[in-house]
Amino acid sequence: MKLSKNFTNPLAANNPVIVQILGICSALAVTVKMEPALVMGLSVTFVTAFSNLVMSLLRNGVPSRIRIIVQLVVIATLVIVVDQFLRAYMYDLSKQLSVYVGLIITNCIVMGRVEAFALGNKPWDSFVDGVANGLGYALILLLVAFFRELLGSGTLFGIDILNRFGYVGNSLMLFPPMALIIVGCIIWVHRTINKDLQEK
Amino acid sequence: MAINKNSNVYIILYTVVMVAIVGALLAFLATTLKPRQDENKLQEKKVAIMKAFGDAKANFDESVTVYRLNGTELTEVAKEQQPVIFEELEKRGDLAAATENLPLFKYAKGSTVKYVIPMVGKGLWGDIWGYVSVEPKEGNVTITGIVMDHAGETPGLGAEIATDAVQALFVDKKLYDESNAFAVRMQKGGAKNEYQVDAITGGTKTSDGVNAMLKECIGKYEAFLKAEAGMAVADTEVTSEEVACAKCAECPERETCVKDCKKSCEECATCDNQCEECEECEKQCAKASENVEPVKVEEK
């Protein structure tokens, strides 16, 4: 199955976090451990994909003067849906994620893709674009969380990996600035490989 | 298209329909999911109470009996009525103000009888709350476990009250000192006696909040707990004649401080013989409190 460019671009070449530099706040906050990072990544994917889909379906009927307001309403509704589901079915995780699920609406990736893509493209393409951007975001979150959890707590997904060898967790890894440094390193590696992304 | 999408009528109609649909959808979702969400919160409370009892894996419904306390009288609460108690625990403002029909949880295993007291208080940025489990034994009441949580204290500082490390500090601390006064507290600068635990560095205000919470909430159950432990109910030391001097009165350390003084500070000031205990008392008051200016002890 040939994957369309809509799907593959946001995963690497046009990744929302390391290329478009969007969604950084939550990338710092929820990546202390891998499990919340995964849930957050999936939540953002869900919200971005379905906001894109809904807005694309509505794009011909929305009055242009209240375009942004309608986008906000759609995104906010989806975020509330996700939050309510987490509180009902994954309560412990929803407490760990606390306010950050509600803050998905402030994640620039969601509004950014709706404005840039969904309003000018067909529903299926928009949906795919939303999924891909969400997954691109999730990928980076998981990568950052991988390092932070492994080096900061010696575990991955809660399973002890390093502690049995007498490893003592590096507390610095548990603080947000470390996440920023890791994201910076990922951007560095990514741009070294993709030379065309380097600014002149 | 015949409809002008930018006309005011269309915009207003569009907005109204959109809001109606979204409102209905979210209301439907909220009511459908509410029972599950409430069940989750209930389970969380039960697990916290069992954790305070020291038996996190045990089943709440099998091991714990729920009571209402009035003065020193216990009335058992039947299983069907227990949801009411848990709803009261949600309403922290009302729980803080309550003085009768207080909820109490009892756990008995073999010859050990423990009680869990639900507590609420104010931290630096918001509410704090918790469950403390106490065991009346050997003429005193000992803390056997505590679980605390908060609404918005600073991570790494005040928020540490929710960690196992800080909560473990309270285990095996006796509530009442030799003069039967409430002595458990988080002490800034490190625990100074066997009743105190270290306060959180950088989390002074939250630690003060915990102290107030412990004192006020456990205080409501004091008569009952002391009766269970076979202790004299009234404080044996401080009578109305022993008044601390004015500076000591403002000092937060007053409770423990004045106990050490056998005579009031004003008495000492007019006394011909230097009251060594008072001198120590005033000095300790001044050192321990940041708000009170250092007091110059009058040499007579």
Side-chain angles (χ1 to χ4, degrees):
Chain A
M1 181 185 80
K2 190 187 84 160
L3 291 170
S4 73
K5 267 232 166 294
N6 280 342
F7 186 75
T8 53
N9 259 350
L11 290 179
N14 200 19
N15 186 291
V17 180
I18 61 177
V19 179
Q20 300 175 53
I21 315 287
L22 298 173
I24 301 288
C25 297
S26 45
L28 306 190
V30 303
T31 48
V32 182
K33 296 220 184 299
M34 290 197 78
E35 204 185 351
L38 180 65
V39 173
M40 186 63 162
L42 291 176
S43 304
V44 170
T45 307
F46 175 85
V47 171
T48 318
F50 282 96
S51 323
N52 267 12
L53 180 66
V54 171
M55 281 315 297
S56 180
L57 288 169
L58 292 176
R59 74 187 187 282
N60 290 326
V62 177
S64 57
R65 273 151 67 179
I66 57 167
R67 187 181 86 241
I68 302 278
I69 296 173
V70 174
Q71 287 171 21
L72 281 172
V73 170
V74 168
I75 298 171
T77 309
L78 283 164
V79 167
I80 295 175
V81 166
V82 169
D83 189 31
Q84 292 292 314
F85 262 95
L86 283 179
R87 276 189 221 223
Y89 292 100
M90 296 175 98
Y91 187 69
D92 290 330
L93 223 51
S94 86
K95 290 205 75 190
Q96 270 192 303
L97 290 172
S98 66
V99 291
Y100 295 105
V101 173
L103 289 176
I104 291 178
I105 183 169
T106 65
N107 191 329
C108 305
I109 296 175
V110 189
M111 272 284 261
R113 292 325 289 171
V114 169
E115 267 288 289
F117 199 94
L119 288 183
N121 285 282
K122 296 214 181 79
W124 173 248
D125 293 335
S126 304
F127 184 76
V128 169
D129 177 83
V131 170
N133 273 284
L135 286 181
Y137 168 83
L139 223 66
I140 300 300
L141 245 61
L142 284 172
L143 199 51
V144 175
F146 174 81
F147 287 107
R148 285 181 83 190
E149 189 178 357
L150 189 63
L151 297 175
S153 318
T155 58
L156 282 179
F157 280 106
I159 305 167
D160 177 24
I161 307 277
L162 291 182
N163 290 332
R164 71 189 71 199
F165 299 114
Y167 179 78
V168 174
N170 181 342
S171 309
L172 199 58
M173 282 287 168
L174 303 177
F175 287 106
M178 210 57 216
L180 199 56
I181 294 174
I182 295 176
V183 170
C185 291
I186 296 175
I187 294 178
W188 181 15
V189 170
H190 187 242
R191 293 210 179 178
T192 314
I193 300 173
N194 294 359
K195 295 203 171 28
D196 46 322
L197 285 172
Q198 292 173 10
E199 288 135 23
K200 295 279 169 278
Chain B
M1 256 250 232
I3 312 167
N4 176 7
K5 286 209 293 280
N6 280 315
S7 74
N8 288 343
V9 177
Y10 182 78
I11 290 180
I12 292 175
L13 272 176
Y14 194 94
T15 330
V16 169
V17 171
M18 175 180 72
V19 168
I21 294 177
V22 166
L25 173 71
L26 290 178
F28 170 75
L29 190 69
T31 35
T32 320
L33 290 179
K34 194 165 185 345
R36 265 207 89 110
Q37 291 173 354
D38 288 342
E39 180 61 30
N40 283 336
K41 284 201 227 168
L42 184 64
Q43 269 309 108
E44 192 194 14
K45 285 194 180 58
K46 288 186 176 177
V47 167
I49 293 176
M50 290 319 295
K51 193 175 170 197
F53 274 130
D55 205 352
K57 303 275 190 282
N59 186 298
F60 179 94
D61 297 315
E62 288 162 11
S63 342
V64 177
T65 356
V66 185
Y67 294 93
R68 285 208 185 271
L69 182 70
N70 273 302
T72 45
E73 264 189 53
L74 286 182
T75 357
E76 185 170 338
V77 174
K79 279 234 172 5
E80 310 83 56
Q81 303 297 323
Q82 282 179 15
V84 179
I85 299 256
F86 285 103
E87 273 167 39
E88 281 173 27
L89 295 184
E90 272 290 298
K91 302 196 185 89
R92 292 195 281 269
D94 294 341
L95 189 64
T99 46
E100 48 181 24
N101 282 332
L102 305 170
L104 185 67
F105 302 92
K106 178 173 167 183
Y107 172 94
K109 198 170 182 180
S111 56
T112 349
V113 174
K114 299 183 191 173
Y115 296 97
V116 152
I117 296 172
M119 310 183 290
V120 291
K122 297 243 176 281
L124 174 58
W125 297 109
D127 286 350
I128 55 175
W129 59 92
Y131 301 98
V132 61
S133 111
V134 293
E135 189 181 350
K137 64 176 178 188
E138 297 160 3
N140 207 323
V141 183
T142 315
I143 295 183
T144 49
I146 188 170
V147 169
M148 291 189 281
D149 206 348
H150 60 90
E153 301 305 291
T154 319
L157 301 175
E160 291 289 296
I161 61 170
T163 58
D164 288 338
V166 168
Q167 289 164 6
L169 296 174
F170 287 91
V171 175
D172 287 338
K173 290 290 174 194
K174 296 194 171 57
L175 291 183
Y176 304 105
D177 63 15
E178 302 89 27
S179 54
N180 281 354
F182 190 84
V184 171
R185 54 182 286 115
M186 298 188 86
Q187 180 61 35
K188 179 173 157 124
K192 292 197 168 49
N193 61 39
E194 60 185 297
Y195 306 103
Q196 298 175 350
V197 303
D198 297 342
I200 295 170
T201 310
T204 312
K205 287 279 174 264
T206 312
S207 305
D208 287 346
V210 169
N211 290 341
M213 176 172 80
L214 287 170
K215 186 151 189 227
E216 280 164 33
C217 295
I218 300 183
K220 293 185 195 175
Y221 297 76
E222 183 170 317
F224 170 74
L225 289 174
K226 283 184 168 171
E228 287 290 302
M231 296 164 74
V233 176
D235 292 353
T236 54
E237 198 80 347
V238 180
T239 63
S240 52
E241 293 139 43
E242 291 187 9
V243 175
C245 71
K247 283 279 191 297
C248 284
E250 290 154 23
C251 171
E253 303 303 304
R254 189 178 80 87
E255 245 90 41
T256 41
C257 179
V258 163
K259 296 281 155 23
D260 298 336
C261 264
K262 295 294 184 286
K263 292 185 181 176
S264 75
C265 296
E266 252 142 28
E267 251 187 73
C268 286
T270 49
C271 175
D272 285 337
N273 300 319
Q274 185 86 49
C275 175
E276 278 146 0
E277 270 145 343
C278 276
E279 191 179 336
E280 273 313 301
C281 168
E282 260 193 302
K283 279 189 180 155
Q284 197 179 339
C285 269
K287 276 184 200 154
S289 149
E290 308 123 74
N291 299 324
V292 177
E293 290 134 28
V295 172
K296 288 192 182 34
V297 177
E298 286 157 358
E299 306 274 331
K300 281 276 185 194

